[in-house]
Amino acid sequence: MNDPRRPVLAHVIESLASRRDAFAAIMAGGSAASLAVLGNRESEAKKRRKKKTCKAPKRKCGQKCVSLVSSKHCGGCSTRCTQGTSCLEGVCCAGGSVNCRGNCRVDCPPPVANRPFPQRLTYGASKPNLWTQDQLDNHVRAAYASWKSRYLIEAGRDGNGNRLCRVALGKPGSDGHKATVSEGQGYGMVIVATMAGHDPEAQEVFDGLWRFSRAHPSVVDSRLMDWNVPGKDGNDSAFDGDCDMAYGLLLATAQFGSGGSFDYRAELDRTLAGILASTIGPASRLPMLGDWVDANGGAYNQYTPRTSDFMPGHFRAFGRATGNGVWASALAACQDVVTMLQTNFSATTGLLPDFVQPQSPGNPAPRPASPNFLEGAHDGDYSYNAGRDPWRLGTDALINGDLTSGVQARKISDWAKAATAGNPNGFRSGYRLDGSTWNDTNYFTTFFVAPLGVAAMTDARSQNWVNAIYGAVFEKREDYFEDSVTLLCLLVMTGNFWDPTR
């Protein structure tokens, strides 16, 4: 058993032993060197005792204890408020404004949540039933608290003193904790808007996430976000991040109204315009990998999508919100590709590849991508992109009652249940489309299993399978990617995910 006191006890024991040895040497007629040893030990101990500590709420800045609500140290060491602003509870705000839950405003209205968590919807599906609804809601609250404490980062202030927030690409202490991808911003905006009502600062955090994304636009289409901040691989967009951010803005329009820092509907319309212009294939109507793709290009074009970018529920909601029929076309195109892949390449398993390529330059019919198409040797396998597909397809089936998405999601879930004999802990982390595996997939992660739970909920005959999956994932914490996807799946599995257009 690990005892957190062990390092302290070991230090004390070591110190006592050293003093004992030195004193023994003196008593035995030891040399001046022995006296020096004892003297040095005593001197070091005094220095440690005199080491300056600061009493809360002050904090040590250099060698001084300072208040972090002063104009010279506002919210952080040496963070000075500029002329015309003053420090209000750790935030530099202009005259006439107040610090409203971390943002500078002329007033501070109470938190808004038109559809507060928990929503407790049924979707007409098989929710986990070994737990009460109160317990399910509390599981989400606990997962959200963990996610927020580990991955939600305060990223400074804008020119008006308002907070910027980002979602870290890794847990604290990892290299990824210093970086952010647009995918994470999208996940964060959907999660935080959904948790309003439970989290009193949800709108302020949501606005901070959106400000950060707008502070880092794509260099190709500035209506979209730079996919990797700070990044070395270009500053263009990735479809999934922008699509989830757009859904987050749609949620915010319904959840918070239009009285905040942003006109969410105007932000949504601009974002959707960018997505349609730069990342939806003009002929294929499939999501392109990002705004860097030439629709009619060579290796990457409008017929080379990532299957996890197929978000039928989002497309349906965008269509209802805007009345633009292009979203129905995009939805139909994605469902057609899934059907063709499941029919021609994974008839037994229903598994989908991470990436898709056309059969040939003259034949756009889909096939699994070749190895090393974009990310690695398993680009044509069911790996760390396609693992999200059962969640995306299953959510559309549950929220919208779509039969096609339901059939596609259940095909994957049914195979997984049979392959593991109903034990989700035996589901491996990656498969070829025929259900075979490779050497380094023999481990469990919630990333692959939680999406299966959403897909399983579409089948009333799979109640035990739903319960087993939920029990395997709801308490586990791993890293940014796994925990974010799992939390989004928990929102669906507990009946707390909702469509703002329904």
Side-chain angles (χ1 to χ4, degrees), residues 150-170:
R150 299 176 87 185
Y151 310 117
L152 188 65
I153 308 298
E154 294 281 346
R157 300 273 164 176
D158 67 8
N160 296 317
N162 296 317
R163 69 203 295 191
L164 302 174
C165 301
R166 67 179 182 87
V167 176
L169 186 59

Side-chain angles (χ1 to χ4, degrees), residues 462-480:
S462 293
Q463 186 66 64
N464 291 339
W465 178 229
V466 170
N467 288 338
I469 292 171
Y470 187 84
V473 302
F474 80 87
E475 289 184 305
K476 284 190 169 59
R477 309 287 182 259
E478 297 181 30
D479 209 331
Y480 146 76

Side-chain angles (χ1 to χ4, degrees), residues 286 307-313 315-316 330-344 346-353 366 382 386-398 401-417 451-452 454-459 461 465:
L286 294 170
T307 61
S308 56
D309 289 346
F310 297 172
M311 305 182 193
F315 298 169
R316 240 182 263 277
L331 167 64
C334 292
Q335 289 188 325
D336 286 348
V337 169
V338 172
T339 296
M340 285 187 277
L341 289 169
Q342 289 186 326
T343 300
N344 298 325
S346 58
T348 301
T349 67
L351 298 174
L352 299 170
Y382 184 79
R388 293 171 283 191
D389 293 344
W391 156 49
R392 297 293 194 186
L393 297 171
T395 299
D396 181 46
L398 294 170
D402 186 72
L403 297 178
T404 299
S405 289
V407 169
Q408 293 170 346
R410 280 194 298 277
K411 192 163 189 176
I412 301 172
S413 172
D414 288 347
W415 173 79
K417 179 171 64 174
L452 294 174
V454 176
M457 284 175 61
T458 66
D459 184 1
R461 300 167 301 172
W465 178 229

Side-chain angles (χ1 to χ4, degrees), residues 348-399:
T348 301
T349 67
L351 298 174
L352 299 170
D354 277 6
F355 298 96
V356 178
Q357 289 180 273
Q359 293 283 354
S360 68
N363 180 5
R367 66 173 176 86
S370 299
N372 301 305
F373 163 72
L374 182 65
E375 293 185 0
H378 298 287
D379 283 350
D381 298 325
Y382 184 79
S383 191
Y384 269 92
N385 285 293
R388 293 171 283 191
D389 293 344
W391 156 49
R392 297 293 194 186
L393 297 171
T395 299
D396 181 46
L398 294 170
I399 295 288

Side-chain angles (χ1 to χ4, degrees), residues 174-199:
S174 69
D175 290 340
H177 200 64
K178 302 174 184 177
T180 286
V181 291
S182 60
E183 166 202 273
Q185 291 298 101
Y187 290 160
M189 288 171 62
V190 172
I191 289 168
V192 171
T194 306
M195 295 303 296
H198 163 68
D199 185 348

Side-chain angles (χ1 to χ4, degrees), residues 12 17 46 64 104 156 163 166 201 217 234 252-253 265 269 273 287 344 352 387 445:
V12 171
K46 287 179 181 178
K64 296 181 178 179
C104 300
R163 69 203 295 191
R166 67 179 182 87
E201 65 167 6
T253 303
R265 180 55 196 250
D269 289 343
N344 298 325
L352 299 170
T445 170

